[in-house]
Amino acid sequence: MGHDLEGREVFIAGASSGMGRAIAIAAARAGAALILLGRNKAGLDITATLAREAAPGCSIRTLVADASDATALAEAIAGTDLSQVDTLVNSVGTNIPERAFDQLTTESWQQMIDSNLTAAFNLSKIFLPLMRARENGLIIHIASTAARKPDKSGAAYQATKAGVLSLTHALMEEEWQNGIRATAILPGMTDTPLLDRRPTPVTPEARASALRPEDVAAACLFVLRLPPRAHVAELHIGPSQR
């Protein structure tokens, strides 16, 4: 679709790998300027390089921080002009191998809350005031089909992704009159590094039938391309082969 996102500035959190990386490359190819946030500097640099290769001349800035740490996040963005960011894409998330409820500890439960839910809260808190000031903005949180459909992803993962989904709906309910839209994208099994954290190795057949990060990026770009009058509350995307 060419450079139809030219003039847009997109902030992508969790851009060091997986879905966040694919979204960054797709958005750059569509002409958007990017601010990329991630914990892994090496991975973030690779994402920036790939995005520049896909879209030579694209404006890309990178910030290294853990989005679940409000203080570190504030320090990372200090001095960065975010006033022109019209879209926040939050692709931060993790899971743990010891995910069954009887394996969870107080520490691992808190880790999941921090990574999957608190990061979404911290990022939203930063961008909502800026979007209110502009009377325009789009927030996209990447949740999971696990937020809606019980599966074996684990109690902490399901609970935190359900929290991300509920947070997204709450933001829309409270902010639509300020010109802000909030969308949750719920991918099914996707071939990202997260698959390698499953307690039972994923078979080659299952991995081959999984979504690719580029599929989730295409769903994200669909939402990005909609006019401000249109709102997608939830977008579910899963493998066609189950």
Side-chain angles (χ1 to χ4, degrees):
M1 298 184 70
H3 289 78
D4 56 318
L5 295 184
E6 194 166 350
R8 303 279 297 274
E9 187 160 278
V10 181
F11 187 104
I12 303 171
S16 298
S17 64
M19 298 177 195
R21 174 176 290 171
I23 294 166
I25 294 169
R29 191 177 286 123
L34 305 179
I35 301 176
L36 307 179
L37 177 83
R39 293 184 302 175
N40 183 322
K41 184 181 185 303
L44 206 59
D45 289 343
I46 291 172
T47 299
T49 297
L50 293 172
R52 289 190 179 99
E53 290 175 353
C58 174
S59 171
I60 301 176
R61 290 174 283 172
T62 60
L63 303 170
V64 180
D66 182 348
S68 70
D69 183 332
T71 301
L73 183 58
E75 291 174 352
I77 66 173
T80 301
D81 181 10
L82 303 177
S83 63
Q84 299 307 306
V85 172
D86 58 70
T87 303
L88 162 66
V89 179
N90 167 35
S91 185
V92 176
T94 192
N95 205 346
I96 52 177
E98 299 78 18
R99 58 187 62 178
F101 187 80
D102 65 357
Q103 294 176 306
L104 288 173
T105 64
T106 301
E107 291 74 23
S108 62
W109 173 260
Q110 189 62 53
Q111 174 194 344
M112 292 294 289
I113 291 175
D114 290 344
S115 295
N116 292 349
L117 187 53
T118 301
F121 170 82
N122 289 341
L123 291 161
S124 299
K125 287 289 283 186
I126 287 170
F127 283 97
L128 275 175
L130 299 172
M131 291 178 175
R132 285 195 202 106
R134 300 176 77 242
E135 298 183 332
N136 175 56
L138 172 63
I139 294 174
I140 299 175
H141 287 302
I142 307 297
S144 168
T145 54
R148 286 289 190 195
K149 180 182 177 182
D151 59 22
K152 295 183 178 180
S153 59
Y157 186 80
Q158 291 180 51
T160 52
K161 287 298 185 178
V164 170
L165 178 60
S166 294
L167 172 64
T168 306
H169 287 317
L171 293 177
M172 184 62 191
E173 185 66 22
E174 294 181 14
E175 299 293 339
W176 66 269
Q177 294 185 68
N178 296 319
I180 297 169
R181 295 170 293 155
T183 295
I185 295 181
L186 284 65
M189 187 170 79
T190 307
D191 188 6
T192 70
L194 209 58
L195 283 189
D196 298 326
R197 308 202 75 189
R198 289 195 171 190
T200 302
V202 179
T203 67
E205 294 77 17
R207 192 180 288 269
S209 66
L211 294 173
R212 300 293 181 267
E214 293 75 18
D215 302 327
V216 180
C220 188
L221 267 286
F222 162 73
V223 176
L224 265 162
R225 287 180 166 122
L226 288 173
R229 66 176 178 269
H231 171 236
V232 176
E234 298 178 25
L235 194 160
H236 297 236
I237 177 171
S240 58
Q241 302 298 313
R242 304 176 188 177

